[in-house]
Structure formats: structure tokens, C-alpha cells
Amino acid sequence: MKKFTALLTVALLTLSAPAFAAKCEAQAAEKKLAGAAKNSFVQKCEKDAAAALATATATCEAQAADKKLAGAAKSSFTQKCIKDATGG
């Protein structure tokens, strides 16, 4: 179970990385950041987003376990839960 959760988290982070980057770049542009300030902001933003995704994944996995979900029902529930929790 822990192995599955770890693999799911890695997969979600890999798939979400471009989305994180785009959102963080857009926020930096709104703030009119440039140079080192922009790079620092984007790195922190991406790190915070990845941490939020990891937390949401763990929480949603626990909820799925509490509901005793398995297979496609678990996958569907977990994906929707993570999407709702991260606003994605």
C-alpha cells in the first residue's frame, strides 16, 4: 500500500510539474518579478505546490482506505479527491 501511494505521488508530481510551473510563472508575472527574485519565487511556489499535492495525496489515500475502496473505485475517488483538494 505504501509503495502504491509513493508511486501515485511520484506520478502526480511528474504530471503536475508543468502545471505548477505555469501557475507559478503566471503569479510571478502578475507580481512583475524578474531575475533572481522571480527565480526564487517560482522555486518556492513549485516546492509549496508539490508539498500540498503530497499532503493531499496522503489524505485522500487515507480517506479511500477508511471507505474500504479498491480498484477503479479507489482510483477514481483518489483522483477526484486530490483534484478537489489542490484546486486542479
Side-chain angles (χ1 to χ4, degrees):
M1 182 64 161
K2 289 181 181 180
K3 192 174 192 178
F4 174 77
T5 302
L7 289 173
L8 180 62
T9 301
V10 169
L12 288 170
L13 288 172
T14 302
L15 294 173
S16 299
F20 292 161
K23 287 181 182 179
C24 293
E25 289 284 339
Q27 289 176 0
E30 287 175 17
K31 295 176 182 265
K32 297 181 183 357
L33 297 175
K38 177 184 174 187
N39 291 339
S40 177
F41 175 83
V42 171
Q43 286 178 343
K44 182 177 182 324
C45 177
E46 289 174 348
K47 182 179 174 183
D48 291 348
L53 178 61
T55 300
T57 300
T59 301
C60 293
E61 284 287 331
Q63 289 176 3
D66 289 345
K67 293 176 184 271
K68 298 183 183 350
L69 298 176
K74 179 181 177 185
S75 296
S76 178
F77 172 83
T78 303
Q79 288 175 354
K80 183 180 183 316
C81 177
I82 292 168
K83 184 177 179 181
D84 292 347
T86 59

